[in-house]
Amino acid sequence: MNDTVVLHADATPSAAALLLRPWCAKDVAALVEVFRDPVLRQWTSSVVENEADAARWVRGQERGWSAGERFGFAVLETRSGPADGQLVGHVVLKEAVTGRPSAEVGYWTAAHARGRGVAPRALEALSGWAFDALGADGLERLELLHQVDNPASCRVAHKSGYDLDRVLPAAPPSFPREGHLHIRRRGD
């Protein structure tokens, strides 16, 4: 796989189409703006305070693509064409290793885009791509984890076909509270 992967999610009657593409340097300023949201900061372990932090974060996403085991996508809302778009979120496929039967997905939505179905549509596009691209290499299931006190993530999981598998114990400091493990299997 390489960084030329571009995914799409169709427009709905109430929301613009989405374009998912690998992160790049031109996303730095928008990323800083998105990370000013205290709600986003509550649910992510990433720290993006300024353009230097954002540039490091983007380079980390690029390294994941180069290593072939972490595939992060900037999610852009496209209103007038694929060349332009406003940053509305992020989806990522983590721990995608050839021969491993599972990988993890993650996501966040910018504050200005919440409530418009961005995360479920982007996650659906990512999930389909992951199974298509890695199914022949042994990928059988995708795992989605979130803290139990994050009901918005639970709704996204259900809307995206990820069934609740079990409650996981807290694992501080990364996961200070219990969590939900949701699973989607290839073919579901």
Side-chain angles (χ1 to χ4, degrees):
M1 272 181 264
N2 59 44
D3 61 359
T4 60
V5 175
V6 176
L7 308 175
H8 300 273
D10 292 334
T12 69
S14 60
L18 302 176
L19 173 86
L20 289 68
R21 60 152 172 77
W23 287 88
C24 61
K26 69 181 178 181
D27 299 319
V28 166
L31 187 62
V32 171
E33 186 62 33
V34 165
F35 263 85
R36 291 188 177 150
D37 173 30
V39 174
L40 177 63
R41 288 172 178 245
Q42 176 184 356
W43 301 118
T44 182
S45 60
S46 301
V47 176
V48 177
E49 297 281 344
N50 52 47
E51 289 199 1
D53 291 342
R56 271 191 296 278
W57 191 88
V58 168
R59 284 192 304 273
Q61 301 303 310
E62 293 169 339
R63 281 191 303 274
W65 278 93
S66 294
E69 58 191 30
R70 182 182 176 94
F71 306 99
F73 291 85
V75 179
L76 306 173
E77 194 172 60
T78 59
R79 295 206 178 269
S80 58
D84 65 350
Q86 180 181 27
L87 179 64
V88 292
H90 165 71
V91 291
V92 61
L93 178 67
K94 310 177 211 179
E95 302 171 15
V97 178
T98 300
R100 187 167 179 227
S102 66
E104 183 182 344
V105 296
Y107 51 88
W108 50 254
T109 303
H112 65 269
R114 291 191 189 118
R116 298 199 310 245
V118 168
R121 291 186 299 136
L123 187 56
E124 180 63 32
L126 176 73
S127 301
W129 172 77
F131 285 129
D132 288 347
L134 300 171
D137 292 334
L139 182 65
E140 291 293 326
R141 73 180 179 280
L142 296 173
E143 299 176 349
L144 183 158
L145 296 105
H146 66 84
Q147 290 183 180
V148 294
D149 58 344
N150 188 343
S153 278
C154 208
R155 285 190 301 273
V156 168
H158 288 291
K159 287 179 183 178
S160 304
Y162 284 76
D163 295 326
L164 179 61
D165 184 70
R166 65 184 178 272
V167 175
L168 301 172
S174 298
F175 293 98
R177 294 174 196 82
E178 290 182 328
H180 284 174
L181 171 63
H182 295 264
I183 294 179
R184 180 169 170 176
R185 287 178 169 48
R186 188 162 51 129
D188 286 351

